[in-house]
Amino acid sequence: MCARGMTSRGGRLARALDLHEYQGKELFRRYGIPVSDGVLATSPAEARVAAEELGGPVVVKAQVLIGGRGKAGGIKLASSPDEAETRAGEILGMDIRGHTVQKLWIERASDIAREYYLSLTFDRSAKQPLFMFTTQGGIDIEEVAATSPDALVKLHVDPLEGCHPWHARRLVYAAGVVDPGEQKQIAAIVGKLYDAFVGADAMLCEINPLIVTPEGEVRALDSKFTVDDNALFRHPDIAEMRDVAGADPLEVLAREKGVTYVKLDGEVGVLGNGAGLTMSSVDVVTFAGGRPANFCDLGGGGDAQGVVDALEVITRDEQVRSIFFNIFGGITRCDEVARGILQAVGQMGLELPIVVRLDGTNADAGRRILAEASLDNLHPEATMLDGARRAVELAA
Amino acid sequence: MCARGMTSRGGRLARALDLHEYQGKELFRRYGIPVSDGVLATSPAEARVAAEELGGPVVVKAQVLIGGRGKAGGIKLASSPDEAETRAGEILGMDIRGHTVQKLWIERASDIAREYYLSLTFDRSAKQPLFMFTTQGGIDIEEVAATSPDALVKLHVDPLEGCHPWHARRLVYAAGVVDPGEQKQIAAIVGKLYDAFVGADAMLCEINPLIVTPEGEVRALDSKFTVDDNALFRHPDIAEMRDVAGADPLEVLAREKGVTYVKLDGEVGVLGNGAGLTMSSVDVVTFAGGRPANFCDLGGGGDAQGVVDALEVITRDEQVRSIFFNIFGGITRCDEVARGILQAVGQMGLELPIVVRLDGTNADAGRRILAEASLDNLHPEATMLDGARRAVELAA
Amino acid sequence: MAILVDSSTRLVVQGLTGSEGRFHGLRNRSHGTDVVAGVTPGKGGQDVEGIPIFDTVAEAVSKAGANTAMVFVPAPFASDAMYEAIDAGIGTVICITEGVPAHEMLRIHAFIAGRDVRLIGPNCPGALSPGKANVGIIPAEIFREGSIGLVSRSGTLTYQIGHELTQLGLGNSTIVGIGGDPIVGSSFIDVLALFEADPQTEYVVMVGEIGGDEEEKAAAFIESAMTKPVVAYIAGFTAPPGKTMGHAGAIISGSAGTAQAKKDALEARGVRVGTTPTETAELVAELARG
Amino acid sequence: MAILVDSSTRLVVQGLTGSEGRFHGLRNRSHGTDVVAGVTPGKGGQDVEGIPIFDTVAEAVSKAGANTAMVFVPAPFASDAMYEAIDAGIGTVICITEGVPAHEMLRIHAFIAGRDVRLIGPNCPGALSPGKANVGIIPAEIFREGSIGLVSRSGTLTYQIGHELTQLGLGNSTIVGIGGDPIVGSSFIDVLALFEADPQTEYVVMVGEIGGDEEEKAAAFIESAMTKPVVAYIAGFTAPPGKTMGHAGAIISGSAGTAQAKKDALEARGVRVGTTPTETAELVAELARG
């Protein structure tokens, strides 16, 4: 589980769309940020063709949505199409920290004189976009921040003022870029990165490394680009970039069903309404000595069909031994939830023990519906704590 | 003289570029504001061709940068190409409040069900753009403001917030537009007018009338579009729209020379440095019983060549009988001005009496230069008031 | 007294004629909230069970005296609705709508800085002052009036904790859901300051979550600026560590963003932190019992 | 005391290495202004007659303690320079540059609202406190120290009136040219309020022009908020009537914008108005003589 997925947005989990390097670079290119030429490949043969098209030495880069590709052997130089094919064969299918490599970005190799770092992201506290820039790029930026904080230049942008040339000057001069040609190119990239950030409704645009070639040309050699899910309605082209193939199949199913689901490693399926309550339910199951199998949030609505869909997702996980339903009705009506549980049990022939705790809107009606059904595997509990304990017992 | 030209901007006169109706409509069209099809014509023959191209009845409209064209007979309907040619012949060359008609806009005639008024301009006091909208369009808007102020809806836009859909809704609902189709079209035009206003660095965008056709279509039937001179450097296409042919030849010459010049009707040529001081000099000449022949501002710099250029412009006016030079040096150096005067007198063989008052930066040196030249037609004076009086005497 | 919403609240519901707006607007009214107007462009002149509908918020202010707005319009139109309410002079704007793009919230947040308006949300359950007024979707029936201020980034988790308090015989001055979006109109600190100044409020419960550093900032504020005791709860103790917003995010906040880090920060400033909703309510009860 | 610029002014000149910036920057220094820095991107490390040049205003603030900025960069770059100075924490920004697009000034004006910064100009001659500091292009040698505040939309006209005052043996606390552009950072009212609060200033001369309604607004302010006597001069009495900004302009201001209308408005509020610079100076002299 990625904790990013566990950041609640009030009603539901915060979701942002992480783009692959090649997709981020496509957006960089659109906004005028210089990148190297490259071609996407999904087989060694395609990698060979790509290398032939590009000519000269290329870099074969695993496209996975996780850091540390290089250390894991997911980025390799190839001096010929032959070698590109070989390297592609080695990298494709590789597992990088839980992510299987399914796509490669074959890119013309760059000579590197210097490596810088440039990013633009949300500072949630200041409620302003924040530029970070350092001439100590290429390495883990958190290390730079920790070991040489002065080398990392930070600069907020007032979103109403927008990004002006002075922002760029402040970054390059404070970071100590001395070559006027570099200053000029980086200043231009700063402005374009801001355009991309605002134009694509990004939460993060990171270039690490931002390289300077021996000829003095500045280019983005990598990209990390994260887009606000809430703004995808106005960026259908970016929405289509979502990599469904690379994601956990259960999470893909959940997304299709409109359920927020994050897979965990335990045996107690946890289902709540609202991200905060669900997160808290996961905690309480753990404190009660159990191991949660997932985080599953019905969301704000939670009609009967939503309950059926959520149960379908949860029970696909064969590790699940019991399910804890923790519902506090607000917009969600407990009678609807109860009906959904009965419907799912009937349709799916569920025999797993299901502990149900209902409170809030129409809780009495919901409890009555469940009681009248008198199914053996339904275990009503009056409180969240008791419900969690019971579910843990039943999973044992 | 147009008093607009006499609004000082600190150092120099405020200048804004007034566009012809057809030019404003071209900008409207670029920003998606619906206008009628039309063709520019500068001869009756062209007007006929235009009418043939457009087909059906057309309106022949004098393109002059002055209001009241309609009342003056500068706008006429023509039901055929023949008639368009005739009407064009009548209107071309016509004098409309001092402006000679040299261009015609031949436009497809519109059926009009209703006439509204929409404008966006600078509110200098609030320092915000201001929308004004009323369903009582087509007539003089100042009359609407005076007689039915409630019918004129005013709404400021915070320039950092920008124009949002609610601004448009507020305008149409407060003005009492009832038809949903009209509401929608006007709301769209409001947004596009704002885009045009900001995008073209306009000081004023006025649509009067904004018509509704019997079919319910909303269109801009006229345009008044004024662009900030200071921003023309980033709008070379708009800068080219300046109608040099239609302007006073002396003012065109002045513009070429980089001198700010406004022709007046008297005999005393007035030349100062800075708009405020020059304006004040014109006042003092008047209070001294004279009639100023012009307003001529050397501007902030005022080197010798600038003085020569200014004198060349002023003396082209044959009514001029004396010249009052009122210089208070700041950036302007009085010795440079003195040299310029001598140079101009020598080059141009000027015999007109020139009263010179010098103060401020290098005033002593300037006075000395003039004294040493000891020309008969140069009359130094120690104060502004005495200088004005002397110039008036010499013009008598 | 209470904060944000009370008996002086004169509410306009933006989107009252929509199904959710209608349901919750009427529910708020039935809880005693003075719902004076609805706004739906093009439906001016209609009414929803006696509540007059206007085309613009400006009309709702001038004709119905609205001073508080609840935004219930779909996400693509929500920021426009917020601007409209702010520009119409509404003093308290509560945006329930979820899914508002973060960049729009950035701009709105910068826009209201220095203006005399308080924005709650978006993507929040609203504010409830039991016995006085309810603006939003918080189920009023599970809360009772009392002296405990409750502020939370979460929705249903807030209900859970309020419920646990009620079970222990405790009541609330005001319950405020500030919303969990990356950029919200009011932060923990803003609401804590209101509670500190509110005579009715004697204790405050703050309900946080993993991610960001708002809880850490609140801890510093509580120590330096609050005299009233605060008890906190943080959800997400057992969430595995991970990146919140790439590397950049962690550098910005200077915080791991974990529940444990938040708990530590709060406890270091003298704030007691419960590990479950039940334990949290018990901590408050202990305080209340003296 | 004096206003805006005085002996506590630590000036950074944006564009000090340009020919005009250098000329006036050094001239300001020779008048006693503490010119602590210049800013020219790419020239950091150089100096102009001993004044250190930095690449950014932020450096001029942190390394040279600048608290006031004079903007002398070309018009297309002037708004960027103003934003830079404001964001670097400069408290007083004086923009001499002429030709700044009005839309940029609109945005800057909205941006500084609520921020703790005072902007004078653009397209203005600057501010001079005789005997203390001179920031801008006002020729200091024609003024002497005294008790008369002078505020003007004009440049050379200001010198003329200051000169006439000097001829009558009167001196100035501060001379401020606010600039005559449609949108300027500080209006007459802003500067009048500073003079009202300044102990050194006993009388104020306001120099206006035809167009707009700032003089009319100032008249109302003088009546309601000023205890110190104000004498005014308006240029453009003999300019024929005409449109200022199309019909819309006149409707907005609700004023004819003529010199006579301004004079009437001022006199109705008890402000004496001279019709020539000479008469204006004499009116002040009468007041000063008691």
Side-chain angles (χ1 to χ4, degrees):
Chain A
M1 187 187 73
C2 171
R4 186 182 54 71
M6 290 285 277
T7 305
S8 157
R9 312 182 74 141
R12 61 196 176 104
L13 278 190
R15 285 284 180 184
L17 173 55
D18 289 324
L19 301 183
H20 282 298
E21 174 195 5
Y22 77 95
Q23 296 167 325
K25 284 183 170 172
E26 161 60 24
L27 293 178
F28 282 172
R29 195 187 291 271
R30 275 189 217 169
Y31 284 94
I33 297 165
V35 290
S36 302
D37 291 333
V39 177
L40 192 68
T42 55
S43 70
E46 280 179 24
R48 161 186 286 276
V49 174
E52 280 165 358
E53 274 176 28
L54 292 165
V58 296
V59 185
V60 180
K61 306 175 86 172
Q63 299 297 292
V64 283
L65 296 172
I66 191 84
R69 291 176 301 169
K71 284 178 200 160
I75 300 178
K76 288 192 171 142
L77 191 67
S79 54
S80 67
D82 269 357
E83 198 183 347
E85 187 171 2
T86 311
R87 297 288 161 257
E90 291 162 12
I91 298 173
L92 277 169
M94 184 183 274
D95 180 280
I96 300 179
R97 297 169 66 190
H99 292 244
T100 307
V101 180
Q102 300 180 314
K103 291 179 186 173
L104 300 171
W105 181 239
I106 316 298
E107 185 174 86
R108 184 169 288 146
S110 296
D111 290 331
I112 300 173
R114 279 181 290 284
E115 295 186 310
Y116 299 161
Y117 168 97
L118 175 65
S119 70
L120 180 55
T121 184
F122 272 31
D123 181 345
R124 288 175 55 154
S125 286
K127 299 181 184 181
Q128 292 191 328
L130 178 76
F131 274 112
M132 290 197 281
F133 178 65
T134 175
T135 55
Q136 300 183 20
I139 57 165
D140 187 338
I141 194 64
E142 284 178 87
E143 204 179 301
V144 177
T147 58
S148 12
D150 289 349
L152 184 64
V153 183
K154 300 180 190 178
L155 184 64
H156 286 102
V157 180
D158 184 296
L160 295 178
E161 176 188 350
C163 182
H164 286 268
W166 75 263
H167 290 100
R169 292 198 303 270
R170 178 96 157 255
L171 290 170
V172 297
Y173 289 117
V177 176
V178 290
D179 180 78
E182 283 180 30
Q183 290 172 351
K184 204 175 153 187
Q185 291 175 76
I186 296 168
I189 290 171
V190 163
K192 287 166 182 169
L193 196 67
Y194 190 84
D195 292 345
F197 184 74
V198 173
D201 277 289
M203 312 286 277
L204 169 70
C205 291
E206 190 179 67
I207 306 176
N208 190 22
L210 179 70
I211 62 156
V212 186
T213 68
E215 295 75 36
E217 204 188 312
V218 182
R219 269 208 304 272
L221 205 64
D222 197 356
S223 92
K224 195 165 285 171
F225 207 115
T226 304
V227 177
D228 180 9
D229 255 17
N230 282 350
L232 288 178
F233 70 89
R234 48 180 179 222
H235 305 289
D237 53 332
I238 298 174
E240 278 178 16
M241 292 182 181
R242 191 183 299 278
D243 186 358
V244 176
D248 182 289
L250 274 185
E251 294 189 11
V252 174
L253 176 70
R255 179 175 290 277
E256 279 167 13
K257 298 282 188 186
V259 170
T260 306
Y261 175 90
V262 180
K263 170 125 183 54
L264 304 173
D265 288 329
E267 297 80 32
V268 181
V270 177
L271 198 154
N273 65 320
L277 183 62
T278 308
M279 214 183 276
S280 178
S281 304
V282 168
D283 282 354
V284 175
V285 164
T286 309
F287 293 140
R291 298 203 310 156
N294 64 269
F295 165 102
C296 185
D297 174 13
L298 274 182
D303 57 5
Q305 187 57 45
V307 174
V308 174
D309 291 341
L311 275 173
E312 195 184 329
V313 174
I314 290 172
T315 54
R316 286 268 186 106
D317 176 0
E318 293 179 359
Q319 275 188 270
V320 171
R321 307 256 291 271
S322 73
I323 296 173
F324 174 35
F325 246 93
N326 188 20
I327 303 297
F328 208 114
I331 303 190
T332 304
R333 290 159 53 194
C334 292
D335 53 338
E336 275 289 304
V337 172
R339 270 183 219 106
I341 293 172
L342 295 183
Q343 191 182 326
V345 170
Q347 278 176 15
M348 298 158 62
L350 278 187
E351 291 177 4
L352 281 172
I354 303 176
V355 178
V356 186
R357 180 269 179 149
L358 299 176
D359 252 316
T361 310
N362 298 359
D364 288 340
R367 289 186 207 118
R368 204 178 315 119
I369 289 167
L370 294 182
E372 283 165 7
S374 72
L375 295 175
D376 287 347
N377 61 331
L378 284 191
H379 307 267
E381 285 291 343
T383 70
M384 177 170 166
L385 202 54
D386 289 341
R389 285 176 183 149
R390 185 72 179 273
V392 171
E393 281 167 27
L394 290 166
Chain B
M1 185 187 69
C2 168
R4 186 181 56 73
M6 289 286 278
T7 305
S8 155
R9 314 181 73 139
R12 63 196 174 102
L13 277 193
R15 286 283 182 186
L17 173 55
D18 290 322
L19 301 182
H20 282 299
E21 173 195 5
Y22 77 95
Q23 296 167 325
K25 284 184 170 174
E26 161 62 22
L27 292 178
F28 282 172
R29 194 186 292 272
R30 275 190 217 171
Y31 284 93
I33 297 166
V35 291
S36 302
D37 291 334
V39 177
L40 193 67
T42 56
S43 70
E46 281 179 23
R48 160 186 285 275
V49 174
E52 281 165 358
E53 274 176 27
L54 292 166
V58 297
V59 184
V60 180
K61 305 175 87 173
Q63 298 297 292
V64 284
L65 296 171
I66 191 85
R69 291 176 301 169
K71 282 180 201 158
I75 299 179
K76 285 191 173 145
L77 191 68
S79 53
S80 68
D82 269 0
E83 199 184 345
E85 185 171 4
T86 310
R87 296 291 162 254
E90 291 162 12
I91 298 173
L92 278 168
M94 185 185 271
D95 180 278
I96 299 180
R97 297 170 64 191
H99 292 244
T100 307
V101 181
Q102 298 178 315
K103 291 177 185 174
L104 300 171
W105 181 239
I106 315 298
E107 186 174 87
R108 186 168 287 144
S110 296
D111 288 330
I112 300 173
R114 281 180 289 284
E115 294 186 310
Y116 300 160
Y117 169 97
L118 175 66
S119 71
L120 181 55
T121 186
F122 272 31
D123 180 345
R124 288 175 56 154
S125 287
K127 299 183 184 179
Q128 292 190 327
L130 179 75
F131 274 113
M132 291 197 279
F133 178 64
T134 175
T135 54
Q136 300 183 20
I139 57 165
D140 187 337
I141 195 64
E142 285 179 86
E143 205 178 302
V144 177
T147 57
S148 12
D150 288 347
L152 184 64
V153 183
K154 300 180 189 178
L155 185 64
H156 286 102
V157 180
D158 184 294
L160 295 179
E161 176 189 348
C163 183
H164 286 268
W166 75 263
H167 290 99
R169 292 198 302 270
R170 177 95 158 255
L171 291 170
V172 297
Y173 289 117
V177 177
V178 289
D179 180 79
E182 284 181 29
Q183 289 172 350
K184 205 175 153 188
Q185 291 176 74
I186 296 168
I189 291 171
V190 163
K192 288 164 180 171
L193 196 69
Y194 191 83
D195 292 345
F197 184 73
V198 173
D201 278 289
M203 311 286 276
L204 168 70
C205 291
E206 188 178 70
I207 306 176
N208 190 21
L210 178 71
I211 62 156
V212 186
T213 67
E215 295 75 34
E217 205 189 312
V218 181
R219 271 207 304 270
L221 204 64
D222 198 355
S223 93
K224 194 166 285 172
F225 207 116
T226 304
V227 178
D228 180 9
D229 253 18
N230 282 350
L232 287 178
F233 69 88
R234 48 180 179 223
H235 305 290
D237 53 331
I238 298 176
E240 278 179 15
M241 290 182 182
R242 194 184 296 280
D243 186 358
V244 176
D248 182 290
L250 273 185
E251 293 188 11
V252 173
L253 176 69
R255 177 174 291 275
E256 280 166 14
K257 299 280 189 188
V259 170
T260 306
Y261 175 90
V262 180
K263 170 127 181 56
L264 304 174
D265 287 328
E267 297 81 32
V268 181
V270 178
L271 196 154
N273 65 320
L277 183 62
T278 309
M279 213 183 278
S280 177
S281 304
V282 169
D283 282 352
V284 175
V285 163
T286 308
F287 292 141
R291 298 202 313 157
N294 63 268
F295 165 102
C296 184
D297 173 14
L298 274 181
D303 58 3
Q305 187 56 44
V307 174
V308 175
D309 291 340
L311 276 172
E312 195 184 330
V313 173
I314 290 171
T315 55
R316 286 271 185 104
D317 175 2
E318 294 180 355
Q319 274 188 274
V320 172
R321 307 256 292 271
S322 73
I323 295 171
F324 173 35
F325 246 92
N326 188 21
I327 302 297
F328 208 114
I331 305 188
T332 304
R333 291 160 52 194
C334 292
D335 53 338
E336 274 290 304
V337 173
R339 272 182 218 105
I341 293 172
L342 295 182
Q343 192 182 326
V345 170
Q347 279 176 11
M348 299 159 59
L350 277 187
E351 292 176 2
L352 280 173
I354 302 177
V355 179
V356 186
R357 179 270 179 145
L358 299 176
D359 252 314
T361 310
N362 297 0
D364 287 342
R367 291 188 204 115
R368 204 176 318 117
I369 289 167
L370 293 183
E372 283 163 7
S374 70
L375 296 176
D376 287 348
N377 61 332
L378 285 190
H379 307 266
E381 285 290 346
T383 70
M384 176 169 166
L385 202 53
D386 289 342
R389 284 176 182 148
R390 186 72 179 274
V392 171
E393 280 167 28
L394 290 165
Chain C
M1 275 292 286
I3 65 168
L4 293 167
V5 299
D6 58 24
S7 43
S8 71
T9 295
R10 295 177 63 81
L11 185 68
V12 53
V13 181
Q14 293 174 265
L16 184 63
T17 59
S19 63
E20 281 197 70
R22 181 190 175 96
F23 178 75
H24 291 287
L26 293 175
R27 213 163 160 224
N28 287 171
R29 183 171 70 169
S30 71
H31 188 70
T33 312
D34 192 6
V35 183
V36 298
V39 166
T40 303
K43 298 201 175 170
Q46 301 182 10
D47 77 280
V48 167
E49 303 208 357
I51 304 168
I53 304 297
F54 298 97
D55 292 310
T56 64
V57 179
E59 272 185 288
V61 169
S62 66
K63 296 186 183 160
N67 59 18
T68 302
M70 173 161 71
V71 177
F72 238 118
V73 305
F77 314 109
S79 66
D80 183 54
M82 287 184 257
Y83 280 121
E84 182 181 359
I86 294 161
D87 280 286
I90 293 286
T92 303
V93 180
I94 297 178
C95 181
I96 309 299
T97 305
E98 86 171 46
V100 181
H103 278 267
E104 292 181 14
M105 288 313 304
L106 273 188
R107 284 189 288 270
I108 289 182
H109 194 269
F111 182 69
I112 61 174
R115 280 183 166 76
D116 191 21
V117 59
R118 183 159 301 279
L119 175 65
I120 304 288
N123 191 16
C124 79
L128 160 66
S129 298
K132 302 187 186 72
N134 188 15
V135 176
I137 64 176
I138 300 176
E141 55 280 9
I142 57 170
F143 294 92
R144 40 175 282 188
E145 198 166 352
S147 62
I148 300 164
L150 177 53
V151 57
S152 172
R153 274 163 73 181
S154 171
T156 45
L157 183 53
T158 313
Y159 315 159
Q160 176 67 34
I161 291 182
H163 182 65
E164 305 249 15
L165 292 172
T166 308
Q167 302 292 98
L168 295 174
L170 299 167
N172 292 98
S173 52
T174 304
I175 299 99
V176 185
I178 59 172
D181 274 3
I183 310 296
V184 289
S186 296
S187 64
F188 278 134
I189 290 176
D190 297 324
V191 178
L192 289 172
L194 294 177
F195 279 132
E196 175 69 13
D198 171 43
Q200 185 183 337
T201 303
E202 291 173 32
Y203 314 95
V204 181
V205 179
M206 179 176 86
V207 181
E209 283 175 12
I210 54 169
D213 64 347
E214 288 301 314
E215 291 80 3
E216 287 84 338
K217 298 212 143 157
F221 177 81
I222 290 165
E223 188 183 48
S224 67
M226 287 195 74
T227 60
K228 299 179 182 177
V230 179
V231 170
Y233 172 73
I234 309 290
F237 272 95
T238 61
K243 297 175 300 173
T244 315
M245 273 275 293
H247 294 287
I251 295 172
I252 294 169
S253 66
S255 154
T258 62
Q260 190 61 47
K262 291 173 187 298
K263 182 173 194 273
D264 293 347
L266 285 158
E267 287 180 340
R269 308 295 185 129
V271 178
R272 300 188 69 182
V273 181
T275 48
T276 65
T278 312
E279 187 189 340
T280 309
E282 281 162 3
L283 288 173
V284 182
E286 271 176 40
L287 277 176
R289 276 183 226 117
Chain D
M1 279 289 289
I3 66 168
L4 292 167
V5 299
D6 58 26
S7 43
S8 72
T9 295
R10 295 178 63 81
L11 186 68
V12 53
V13 181
Q14 294 174 265
L16 184 64
T17 59
S19 63
E20 280 196 72
R22 181 188 174 97
F23 178 77
H24 291 286
L26 292 174
R27 212 163 162 226
N28 287 172
R29 183 170 71 168
S30 72
H31 186 70
T33 311
D34 192 6
V35 184
V36 298
V39 166
T40 303
K43 299 200 173 169
Q46 302 182 8
D47 77 277
V48 167
E49 302 209 357
I51 304 167
I53 303 296
F54 299 97
D55 291 310
T56 65
V57 178
E59 273 185 287
V61 170
S62 66
K63 296 185 181 160
N67 60 16
T68 303
M70 172 160 73
V71 177
F72 239 117
V73 306
F77 314 109
S79 66
D80 183 52
M82 287 184 257
Y83 279 121
E84 182 181 358
I86 295 162
D87 280 286
I90 293 286
T92 303
V93 179
I94 298 179
C95 181
I96 310 298
T97 306
E98 86 172 44
V100 180
H103 278 267
E104 292 180 14
M105 288 312 303
L106 272 190
R107 283 189 289 269
I108 289 183
H109 194 270
F111 182 68
I112 61 174
R115 280 183 166 76
D116 192 20
V117 59
R118 184 160 298 282
L119 174 65
I120 304 286
N123 190 17
C124 79
L128 160 66
S129 298
K132 301 185 187 74
N134 188 14
V135 176
I137 63 176
I138 299 176
E141 55 280 9
I142 57 170
F143 294 91
R144 41 176 282 189
E145 198 166 351
S147 62
I148 299 165
L150 177 52
V151 56
S152 170
R153 275 164 71 181
S154 171
T156 46
L157 182 54
T158 313
Y159 316 159
Q160 175 68 35
I161 291 181
H163 181 67
E164 305 249 15
L165 291 172
T166 308
Q167 302 291 98
L168 296 174
L170 299 168
N172 291 98
S173 51
T174 304
I175 299 97
V176 185
I178 59 172
D181 273 3
I183 311 295
V184 289
S186 296
S187 64
F188 278 133
I189 290 176
D190 296 325
V191 179
L192 288 172
L194 294 176
F195 278 133
E196 174 69 13
D198 172 43
Q200 185 182 339
T201 303
E202 292 174 31
Y203 315 95
V204 181
V205 179
M206 178 176 87
V207 180
E209 284 175 11
I210 53 169
D213 64 348
E214 288 300 314
E215 291 80 1
E216 287 85 339
K217 297 210 146 161
F221 176 82
I222 291 164
E223 189 183 47
S224 65
M226 288 195 72
T227 59
K228 299 177 182 178
V230 179
V231 169
Y233 171 72
I234 309 290
F237 272 96
T238 60
K243 299 174 298 169
T244 315
M245 272 275 293
H247 294 287
I251 295 172
I252 295 169
S253 66
S255 154
T258 61
Q260 191 61 46
K262 291 172 188 298
K263 183 174 194 275
D264 293 347
L266 286 158
E267 289 180 340
R269 308 294 186 128
V271 178
R272 300 187 68 180
V273 181
T275 47
T276 66
T278 312
E279 187 189 341
T280 309
E282 281 162 1
L283 288 173
V284 182
E286 272 177 38
L287 278 176
R289 276 183 225 114

